[in-house]
Amino acid sequence: MAETLGVAVVGFGWMGRVHTQAYARVRHHYPQLPLRPELVTVAEEVPGRAERAAEQFGFAGTARDWREVAADPRVRAVSVTAPNFLHREIGVAMAEAGKHLWIEKPVGLTAEDARAVADAVEAAGVRGAVGFNYRNAPAVETARSLIAEGAIGTPTHVRVRLLSDYAAHPEAALTWRYERERGGSGVLGDLASHGVDLARYLLGEIASVTADTAVFVPERARPAGATAGHGRAAGGEPGRVENEDYVSCLLRFASGARGVLEACRVSVGEQNAYGFAVHGTKGAVFWDFRRLNELGVCRGDRYQDQPVSTVYVGPGDGEFGAFQPGAANAMGYDDLKVIEAYRFLRSIAEGVPHGATLTDAVRSAAVLDAMARSAESGAWVSPDAVG
């Protein structure tokens, strides 16, 4: 019989809901999992939000202060889905309280913040997982396997894009996401962090970067009350957007490969246009998040005029078989978070890491810090010099 594991969710915006749903679904897809998550507490400072979450999802209790979660002996694992500026304080406190930690990226505002959380997790001897969910897509895992086995030859260059319109409307509310003190970076921490993780996951460590950033919507209206997601605040008091809407970056990998990463949160006409193209000396692989279960594969010995095939991932690819019985049956975004929950719980059960770890968060954050420094100086910057 599976052992019950008390879990809590701290912060119940959209991502808190996604984590909660992943806990609820994980044993449906992974009945062999030796742990059964039990929803103990949801913590949220916005009045009424925790109570509504408890009623809908079945949490045993609620809290306004996350410190109540840290002190609760019933809670053995915690999802931290609160705003970025709270990641370090909450993450360190939960680890020191002996709680296993599933925390959303970017794990604080800087690489220093991410390292503080990682060090606390290591010192406490608990398991840690980070919300780099796109690497969990079966097509992405298949691409990584093809690259590793030499199917496209030696990787030469990669293009990673993360373009979205979630902040494109000029009436989008001036929330914490647009402030340096509470949000830290803008699109760097939000979208580019995923791009860095994908680039590292596919091609290895990034040795140096040079980047350019821009703010295209410099002023927004302050919301009158609590907000969730990316709501609008027409007519509110205007305030300055303090962090970047856009970043473009050149990458040099330790392997000698090159890369280009571009991310934007105000791209009109682009809805979650995330993906990559990895080229090698003998072929290439292509992936588009909006066609989640497809992978473009080019391989062979023709080089010039070599065709590209569309491969529909199936039960033999990544964790696809836990969700669908045959190729070309669709998986979706929330399924990637179920995979993430499974790997987090499996890490706890087995005492060894599965999936993205806090080490990945630290390395990603160091690259983001290097991008920010490069954008200021115009120079090539090594993540090791800042992280």
Side-chain angles (χ1 to χ4, degrees):
M1 179 176 292
E3 176 189 356
T4 297
L5 183 81
V7 301
V9 176
V10 176
F12 206 80
W14 170 66
M15 188 52 69
R17 177 185 296 268
V18 172
H19 277 234
T20 301
Q21 291 171 165
Y23 283 130
R25 292 178 54 199
V26 67
R27 280 189 54 80
H28 299 169
H29 297 280
Y30 298 96
Q32 77 280 12
L33 187 66
L35 293 176
R36 179 172 61 84
E38 180 180 45
L39 299 176
V40 174
T41 305
V42 54
E44 171 58 65
E45 65 178 13
V46 176
R49 189 178 286 174
E51 289 73 17
R52 290 190 295 273
E55 181 179 359
Q56 181 176 358
F57 294 102
F59 286 94
T62 65
R64 288 288 297 277
D65 191 331
W66 58 263
R67 294 169 184 83
E68 296 177 41
V69 174
D72 191 340
R74 299 172 301 166
V75 176
R76 295 173 55 199
V78 178
S79 281
V80 176
T81 57
N84 298 352
F85 67 98
L86 295 172
H87 285 185
R88 178 173 180 166
E89 182 182 11
I90 297 175
V92 169
M94 294 301 173
E96 291 178 344
K99 318 294 187 188
H100 302 287
L101 187 66
W102 179 12
I103 187 168
E104 273 305 313
K105 55 80 197 169
V107 191
L109 306 182
T110 63
E112 181 183 355
D113 286 350
R115 184 172 294 104
V117 178
D119 288 347
V121 165
E122 183 177 4
V126 295
R127 309 315 307 178
V130 179
F132 289 130
N133 45 275
Y134 298 108
R135 64 158 62 189
N136 298 327
V140 174
E141 293 192 275
T142 300
R144 185 174 191 247
S145 295
L146 290 171
I147 294 167
E149 70 189 31
I152 65 169
T154 301
T156 54
H157 60 283
V158 60
R159 299 189 306 277
V160 184
R161 72 185 188 285
L162 296 106
L163 307 177
S164 187
D165 64 355
Y166 69 76
H169 202 290
E171 293 179 359
L174 186 70
T175 65
W176 61 267
R177 295 178 183 277
Y178 303 98
E179 300 175 3
R180 284 288 180 192
E181 184 176 354
R182 297 194 295 165
S185 61
V187 77
L188 278 172
D190 190 11
L191 296 182
S193 59
H194 282 299
V196 169
D197 182 67
L198 284 172
R200 290 185 58 250
Y201 185 66
L202 295 168
L203 294 185
E205 296 300 340
I206 296 168
S208 60
V209 302
T210 184
D212 182 40
T213 62
V215 177
F216 296 137
V217 184
E219 194 174 79
R220 298 182 183 275
R222 301 184 187 280
T227 61
H230 306 287
R232 298 181 189 175
E237 179 185 353
R240 185 172 66 90
V241 172
E242 298 174 351
N243 51 32
E244 73 289 339
D245 290 325
Y246 172 85
V247 61
S248 59
C249 184
L250 299 180
L251 313 171
R252 290 176 178 167
F253 291 85
S255 66
R258 298 297 195 262
V260 177
L261 187 153
E262 184 180 31
C264 186
R265 64 188 180 187
V266 297
S267 295
V268 176
E270 298 282 10
Q271 295 84 40
N272 299 328
Y274 310 153
F276 58 76
V278 180
H279 294 266
T281 53
K282 294 173 58 179
V285 289
F286 309 89
W287 181 71
D288 185 332
F289 169 67
R290 296 171 298 182
R291 304 177 74 90
L292 179 68
N293 305 293
E294 300 178 17
L295 186 66
V297 179
C298 174
R299 56 179 170 176
D301 56 9
R302 289 173 56 181
Y303 300 97
Q304 184 179 4
D305 299 326
Q306 187 162 280
V308 177
S309 300
T310 298
V311 175
Y312 297 99
V313 293
D317 300 300
E319 296 292 332
F320 188 94
F323 297 85
Q324 298 294 350
N329 286 290
M331 288 178 62
Y333 176 91
D334 284 11
D335 296 330
L336 305 185
K337 301 304 278 191
V338 174
I339 295 171
E340 203 166 279
Y342 163 65
R343 289 174 172 166
F344 173 49
L345 296 171
R346 185 181 173 194
S347 296
I348 296 170
E350 299 179 4
V352 295
H354 295 280
T357 67
L358 282 158
T359 297
D360 293 308
V362 171
R363 293 302 301 169
S364 173
V367 175
L368 298 178
D369 284 0
M371 288 182 184
R373 182 175 295 185
S374 173
E376 293 175 355
S377 68
W380 283 90
V381 178
S382 167
D384 292 332
V386 297

